[in-house]
Amino acid sequence: NAGVTQTPKFQVLKTGQSMTLQCAQDMNHNSMYWYRQDPGMGLRLIYYSASEGTTDKGEVPNGYNVSRLNKREFSLRLESAAPSQTSVYFCASSIWNTEAFFGQGTRLTVV
Amino acid sequence: QKEVEQDPGPLSVPEGAIVSLNCTYSNSAFQYFMWYRQYSRKGPELLMYTYSSGNKEDGRFTAQVDKSSKYISLFIRDSQPSDSATYLCAMTLGTGANNLFFGTGTRLTVIP
């Protein structure tokens, strides 16, 4: 049972480049989330999807877009990367609004 | 004011010590309370999950919730070097989505 799988694990982008972070869960969870984690800031919610077919903004959505492809997959896209988006990104899933399970993270550097 | 407040530490203790990690919160409607452990360069891992006030024990770990004081704690008995990690508290209203709130985490080091 893999849980929550994120790809890639590491990425370096140049300012202005775009990329998509992939996330898949095999726990049949309804809700999925994208967080970023920065030193001293804790986990901040970027976007979430309460159920298949719905997405909503979290605390820090600017510069990002998401797609809930199906119940298993939830992707995060950076259309034009900026140095301020250098961070560690975590995908998480939960059955509903209870305990969340996290992936191993994507460490992104924008230069 | 943040929904969840957590002392960032860092906290250093000798091996075998009892560790107390704490969070306070402002919203009395929180129903579910969680503790996550995050090792360096890894994702947060769910450690304990409790509902309502009281204690829950799992091996060397005890989670305590005091709803009247809006205060939760995680106790680690006989701490080990392998417990060295960042511990994040989290809580949720239990209804709807986007109602999961995290503390900023406390970094713990257990010294052999």
Side-chain angles (χ1 to χ4, degrees):
Chain A
N1 189 344
V4 179
T5 303
Q6 289 182 237
T7 55
K9 288 186 171 51
F10 303 94
Q11 184 71 49
V12 179
L13 288 179
K14 293 183 178 179
T15 297
Q17 286 185 319
S18 62
M19 79 161 295
T20 300
L21 281 65
Q22 306 285 354
C23 175
Q25 53 92 9
D26 62 3
M27 296 176 282
N28 200 35
H29 285 170
N30 296 314
S31 302
M32 298 186 73
Y33 312 84
W34 276 105
Y35 291 89
R36 59 178 289 173
Q37 188 176 42
D38 303 290
M41 304 289 288
L43 286 162
R44 292 185 292 170
L45 183 66
I46 305 171
Y47 269 93
Y48 68 99
S49 171
S51 60
E52 187 178 353
T54 68
T55 61
D56 282 288
K57 296 178 181 179
E59 181 185 355
V60 289
N62 291 346
Y64 306 95
N65 284 300
V66 291
S67 294
R68 183 74 183 266
L69 304 170
N70 47 55
K71 191 171 186 179
R72 290 187 63 248
E73 299 173 288
F74 189 38
S75 62
L76 178 72
R77 183 160 179 84
L78 286 71
E79 292 291 351
S80 179
S84 60
Q85 294 178 305
T86 293
S87 187
V88 183
Y89 292 85
F90 289 103
C91 177
S93 71
S94 66
I95 294 173
W96 186 225
N97 188 24
T98 54
E99 69 271 32
F101 295 86
F102 285 81
Q104 289 302 293
T106 296
R107 194 168 293 269
L108 175 67
T109 301
V110 183
V111 297
Chain B
Q1 183 188 6
K2 283 189 174 182
E3 295 273 4
V4 181
E5 299 280 356
Q6 183 175 10
D7 186 339
L11 182 62
S12 291
V13 300
E15 183 175 351
I18 297 174
V19 176
S20 173
L21 303 167
N22 309 297
C23 287
T24 58
Y25 60 95
S26 56
N27 190 341
S28 58
F30 284 131
Q31 298 284 341
Y32 298 89
F33 303 89
M34 290 146 276
W35 285 95
Y36 287 83
R37 178 175 61 196
Q38 186 176 19
Y39 290 116
S40 181
R41 295 182 171 264
K42 298 290 186 183
E45 167 195 16
L46 182 65
L47 193 60
M48 298 283 285
Y49 171 75
T50 60
Y51 172 71
S52 76
S53 286
N55 292 356
K56 181 177 181 178
E57 193 172 312
D58 184 1
R60 296 184 296 109
F61 298 89
T62 299
Q64 186 176 79
V65 175
D66 183 348
K67 281 192 169 182
S68 62
S69 301
K70 299 196 192 81
Y71 190 89
I72 68 170
S73 299
L74 178 71
F75 298 98
I76 307 174
R77 291 184 299 281
D78 187 25
S79 56
Q80 301 295 308
S82 58
D83 296 327
S84 297
T86 297
Y87 290 81
L88 299 98
C89 63
M91 47 201 76
T92 173
L93 298 174
T95 59
N98 191 23
N99 285 315
L100 184 59
F101 295 88
F102 285 89
T104 52
T106 300
R107 179 177 291 182
L108 170 68
T109 301
V110 180
I111 303 165

